[in-house]
């Protein structure tokens, strides 16, 4: 028996919650989320949201900073649209109850932070816990809506499309591909449920877990990109993986970010001997774009053989540091590092997926009634390198636009009968007694991606990685069809699919641009200033 609703939202971060709140007045909304509802990248965001609110700032300056960061690949119309629609969306967040930090001497004025690549102070923040404040307020509003129902610990496995229904004999023709819902694993019972909806939104976030070192939480396994890809959606620019330059390096902590805002407030990168090195790499020094800083750290670590570099903010007033960065200060202090007195050990780690499922300016993918918003989506905003704090901005702007379009789609589709969708068929799968295969492949893919498809790439390493991923992919498919579905297995299949897409996209880009840097083509080639698009149709063998 299918679970039906007008809107199915897969993911409960800023994108999914913003969308759900906006469509809940027009229909029923099921929010499926694979852990607890606040287990999201959003909840970990520290720095803030970029928007033009300062007296010395302008839309044109934010546009030009974003274009400069994107290194020739941003879609300028999208950049302008997002920048222009940012301030009204920020005001809505405030109305929804998000408590951003105000100026100390003027409670009516938001305090604006500075981050790398921004020519002005324009980062709206809630101390250094912006994402937590946003998530908390949006969840509180969603809990008040009688039309929004949450399904926690429910993991979407695959989308239900017209073609899949045709294959299973549930429909007789496919005039154009459209989405009807998703098969979802209820992690508590191990059963697969059918969720049907008139409009489906994928807002599953990013894919940091594809890499061995990441500051993303465990949920970031690229499920949306993988499921969309398998259903025939177009996937764009996945070679552009952003490595955040400064994640805490500590044996006891696996994914703690030291926000870029710390450099924005004057922190300098130094090596173990105390040498500040960024001036050797870029005129903007420590506030250069993230790709430049991450590559500089990578080069320094390779040169010196050190395990990490250090971020030093000890020259600022200790009270200022404690008040501006209470979360980072407390977390480091718990590990014995007093950031007001000693430098913080840091390394780069996978942070943000600039590519994703291609959408139009209303968040629509090429599959009808399937939308994608947030980190899972490719809108054209980020180009070859996302500007700091532009991703929460993109998510709220596109959640709004998608909600408006989805409400119209709902009216159009209202009269259609639900299709007869066959239940998930386990095809005689049995419980596996070889969980070690899953654990081994998880580790191998992530290590391989870190070593061969990381900050600095080469064609031969990419080709080696592709061969290995193809073999692992075959093993996983065999395992997938023979054994009972578990969340680990679904996520493994997805990180493998996404790894394959990243590698193929990286191999296709025969130049260095933004976040994609390869030793074999070290210069930017203006003839290649276009997006990399892959789809199941163009790339049937891999993933
Ligand atoms: C440490 C850190 C700091 C950051 N700081 C900033 C910042 O200061 N400013 C900024 O703009 N950006 C920042 N980012 C990036 C930003 O937080 C994310 O890009 C953004 O929050 C993504 O929002 P989202 O709604 O798309 O996805 P998320 O917030 O990641 O939510 C994804 C949701 O999808 C669910 N999900 C995933 N797969 C499935 C599945 N198969 N089935 C069901 N549910 C699923 C997850 O459980 C989760 O609920 C930061 C990221 C990190 C990791």
């Amino acid at each position: 028996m299918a679970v039906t609703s007008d809107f199915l939202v897969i993911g409960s971060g800023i994108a999914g919650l913003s969308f759900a709140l906006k469509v809940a007045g027009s229909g029923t909304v099921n929010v499926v989320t694979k852990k607890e509802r606040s287990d999201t990248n959003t909840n970990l965001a520290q720095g803030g949201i970029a928007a033009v609110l300062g007296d010395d700032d302008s839309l044109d300056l934010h546009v030009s900073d974003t274009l400069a960061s994107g290194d020739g690949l941003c879609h300028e119309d999208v950049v302008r649209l997002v920048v222009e629609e940012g301030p009204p969306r920020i005001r809505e967040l405030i109305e929804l109850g998000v408590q951003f930090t105000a100026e100390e001497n003027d409670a009516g004025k938001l305090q604006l932070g500075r981050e790398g690549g921004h020519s002005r102070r324009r980062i709206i923040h809630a101390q250094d816990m912006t994402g937590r404040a946003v998530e908390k307020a949006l969840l509180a509003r969603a809990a008040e809506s009688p039309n929004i129902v949450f399904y926690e610990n429910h993991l979407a496995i695959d989308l239900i499309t017209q073609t899949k229904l045709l294959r299973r004999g549930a429909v007789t023709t496919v005039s154009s591909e459209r989405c009807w819902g998703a098969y979802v694993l209820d992690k508590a019972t191990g059963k697969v449920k059918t969720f049907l909806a008139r409009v489906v939104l994928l807002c599953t976030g990013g894919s940091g877990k594809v890499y061995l070192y990441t500051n993303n939480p465990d949920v970031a396994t690229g499920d949306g990109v993988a499921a969309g890809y398998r259903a025939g959606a177009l996937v764009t620019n996945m070679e552009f993986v952003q490595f955040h330059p400064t994640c805490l390096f500590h044996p006891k902590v696996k994914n703690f970010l030291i926000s870029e805002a710390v450099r924005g407030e004057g922190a300098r990168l130094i090596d173990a001997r105390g040498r500040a090195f960024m001036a050797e790499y870029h005129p903007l020094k420590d506030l250069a774009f993230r790709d430049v800083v991450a590559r500089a750290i990578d080069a320094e670590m390779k040169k010196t053989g050190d395990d990490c570099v250090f971020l030093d903010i000890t020259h600022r007033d200790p009270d200022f540091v404690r008040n501006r960065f209470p979360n980072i200060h407390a977390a480091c202090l718990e590990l014995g590092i007093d950031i007001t007195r000693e430098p913080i050990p840091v390394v780069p780690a996978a942070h943000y997926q600039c590519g994703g499922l291609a959408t139009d300016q209303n968040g629509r993918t090429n599959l009808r009634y399937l939308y994608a918003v947030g980190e899972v989506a490719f809108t054209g905003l980020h180009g070859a390198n996302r500007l700091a704090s532009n991703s929460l901005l993109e998510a709220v702007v596109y959640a709004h636009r998608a909600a408006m379009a989805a409400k119209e789609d709902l009216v159009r589709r209202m009269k259609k009968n639900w299709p007869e969708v066959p239940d998930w068929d386990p095809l005689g799968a049995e419980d596996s007694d070889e969980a070690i295969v899953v654990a081994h492949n998880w580790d191998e893919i992530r290590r391989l991606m870190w070593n061969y498809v990381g900050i600095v790439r080469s064609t031969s390493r990419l080709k080696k990685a592709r061969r290995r991923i193809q073999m692992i992919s075959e093993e996983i498919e065999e395992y997938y069809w023979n054994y009972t579905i578990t969340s680990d297995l679904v996520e493994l299949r997805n990180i493998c699919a996404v790894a394959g897409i990243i590698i193929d996209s990286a191999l296709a880009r025969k130049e260095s641009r933004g976040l994609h840097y390869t030793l074999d083509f070290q210069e930017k080639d203006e003839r290649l200033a276009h997006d990399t698009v892959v789809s199941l149709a163009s790339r049937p063998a891999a993933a």
Side-chain angles (χ1 to χ4, degrees):
M1 186 56 178
V3 187
T4 59
S5 60
D6 293 319
F7 303 96
L8 173 62
V9 174
I10 305 177
S12 56
I14 187 171
L17 296 175
S18 303
F19 176 93
L21 286 169
K22 283 178 184 265
V23 295
S26 305
T28 52
V29 189
N30 283 336
V31 180
V32 163
T33 187
K34 70 178 175 181
K35 287 181 91 181
E36 287 178 15
R37 61 191 75 181
S38 63
D39 277 317
T40 60
N41 265 359
T42 301
N43 211 29
L44 299 186
Q46 295 180 346
I49 312 180
V52 176
L53 295 175
D55 298 335
D56 65 342
D57 202 359
S58 72
L59 297 175
D60 282 342
L61 280 174
H62 191 177
V63 168
S64 61
D65 291 347
T66 303
L67 294 176
S69 179
D71 207 4
L73 283 196
C74 296
H75 298 197
E76 194 167 343
D77 51 344
V78 170
V79 175
R80 194 155 286 283
L81 166 166
V82 173
V83 166
E84 281 175 6
E85 294 183 14
R89 299 288 84 81
I90 297 292
R91 283 192 280 279
E92 275 175 10
L93 286 175
I94 294 169
E95 281 159 23
L96 288 168
V98 182
Q99 298 199 333
F100 293 113
T101 304
E103 283 293 359
E104 254 173 48
N105 46 8
D106 183 354
K109 217 169 179 187
L110 293 176
Q111 189 181 79
L112 301 175
R114 174 116 192 243
E115 292 188 347
H118 287 276
S119 57
R120 292 289 183 277
R121 286 191 167 265
R122 64 167 74 98
I123 315 300
I124 293 102
H125 55 273
Q127 290 180 308
D128 57 353
M129 295 166 277
T130 309
R132 206 182 299 173
V134 171
E135 184 83 15
K136 191 171 150 213
L138 297 181
L139 281 175
R141 296 291 82 78
E144 290 163 4
S145 169
N147 266 3
I148 302 179
V149 179
F150 280 91
Y151 290 83
E152 291 183 313
N153 296 307
H154 278 63
L155 178 145
I157 304 170
D158 262 323
L159 295 166
I160 297 169
T161 57
Q162 203 83 348
T163 302
K164 270 193 197 150
L165 294 178
L166 180 75
R167 261 189 248 132
R168 290 170 171 230
V171 296
T172 48
T173 54
V174 176
S175 49
S176 72
E177 188 57 296
R178 52 194 73 195
C179 182
W180 274 111
Y183 286 115
V184 176
L185 175 69
D186 177 345
K187 288 162 62 176
T189 62
K191 296 268 178 291
V192 178
K193 298 177 182 168
T194 306
F195 278 75
L196 296 184
R198 306 209 182 266
V199 177
V200 179
L201 173 71
L202 274 174
C203 40
T204 47
S207 53
K209 295 295 282 189
V210 168
Y211 286 89
L212 186 59
Y213 299 111
T214 177
N215 55 28
N216 285 193
D218 289 345
V219 294
T221 49
D223 299 0
V225 166
Y229 171 80
R230 286 192 291 266
L234 301 176
V235 186
T236 302
N237 281 4
M238 287 293 287
E239 66 273 36
F240 298 114
V241 177
Q242 186 168 70
F243 292 86
H244 197 291
T246 56
C247 297
L248 182 64
F249 177 71
H250 195 280
K252 285 200 190 132
V253 176
K254 77 174 170 176
N255 54 10
F256 190 74
L257 178 73
I258 306 297
S259 169
E260 185 147 338
V262 180
R263 275 179 289 133
E265 299 299 350
R268 288 172 328 150
L269 283 159
I270 55 174
D271 66 13
R273 286 147 287 279
R275 186 183 119 256
F277 54 82
M278 274 313 298
E280 294 161 33
Y281 292 89
H282 199 276
L284 287 172
K285 300 184 203 165
D286 297 281
L287 284 179
F289 296 119
R290 283 186 183 169
D291 57 324
V292 177
V293 182
R295 266 200 306 280
I297 296 175
D298 187 66
E300 286 296 315
M301 284 166 55
K302 284 191 174 127
K303 216 157 57 186
T304 58
D306 291 341
D307 289 335
C308 65
V309 295
F310 296 86
L311 189 61
D312 187 7
I313 191 159
T314 54
H315 58 287
R316 296 290 315 250
D317 174 48
D319 281 340
F320 167 79
V321 173
R322 277 190 285 268
N323 289 333
R324 178 68 180 87
F325 304 110
N327 178 37
I328 295 172
H329 177 258
C332 289
L333 203 56
E334 211 165 284
L335 298 165
I337 307 162
D338 180 351
I339 68 170
T340 65
R341 295 153 58 97
E342 56 194 311
I344 314 164
V346 291
V347 284
H351 178 61
Y352 185 81
Q353 163 193 300
C354 292
L357 300 178
T359 73
D360 69 9
Q361 293 187 357
N362 291 313
R364 289 191 176 100
T365 68
N366 57 311
L367 309 187
R368 285 194 73 187
Y369 306 113
L370 178 68
Y371 288 70
V373 174
E375 195 166 333
V376 70
F378 167 84
T379 64
L381 174 69
H382 306 306
N385 184 15
R386 172 186 73 115
L387 183 64
S389 286
N390 264 358
S391 56
L392 294 173
L393 175 71
E394 180 192 46
V396 274
V397 167
Y398 268 82
H400 174 78
R401 298 179 76 86
M404 298 308 122
K407 285 199 257 186
E408 287 172 19
D409 270 356
L410 174 66
V411 175
R412 246 174 256 134
R413 219 184 189 190
M414 208 62 166
K415 294 182 201 88
K416 288 262 177 208
N417 290 330
W418 293 115
E420 289 288 325
V421 178
D423 286 341
W424 178 266
D425 185 354
L427 294 169
E430 10 176 297
D431 289 349
S432 161
D433 55 3
E434 285 203 80
I436 186 67
V437 177
V438 174
H440 174 87
N441 282 334
W442 255 96
D443 188 61
E444 183 170 353
I445 293 171
R446 299 183 67 211
R447 201 169 284 280
L448 180 81
M449 290 301 285
W450 183 259
N451 289 333
Y452 289 3
V453 196
I455 298 171
V456 176
R457 300 164 177 175
S458 75
T459 304
S460 81
R461 275 186 247 157
L462 288 173
K463 284 187 173 164
K464 279 192 184 84
R466 175 153 75 178
R467 276 200 297 276
R468 192 59 205 131
I469 286 289
Q470 265 167 353
M471 281 169 66
I472 298 174
S473 169
E474 282 161 25
E475 250 173 54
I476 294 172
E477 282 306 305
E478 200 185 309
Y479 199 91
Y480 183 81
W481 293 112
N482 289 334
Y483 295 105
T484 312
I485 295 273
T486 62
S487 55
D488 280 351
L489 182 53
V490 173
E491 290 178 341
L492 171 67
R493 185 178 182 231
N494 290 336
I495 63 164
C496 187
V498 172
I501 294 170
I502 295 173
I503 295 167
D504 277 8
S505 305
L507 276 167
R509 186 164 293 283
K510 298 192 183 329
E511 62 165 346
S512 288
R513 180 189 293 274
L515 297 160
H516 173 71
Y517 184 81
T518 166
L519 296 171
D520 294 293
F521 307 96
Q522 294 187 25
E523 300 301 320
K524 188 157 70 177
D525 181 345
E526 282 317 328
R527 291 166 306 173
L528 302 178
H530 49 73
D531 297 325
T532 312
V533 183
V534 298
S535 70
L536 198 56
S538 68
R539 186 181 159 273

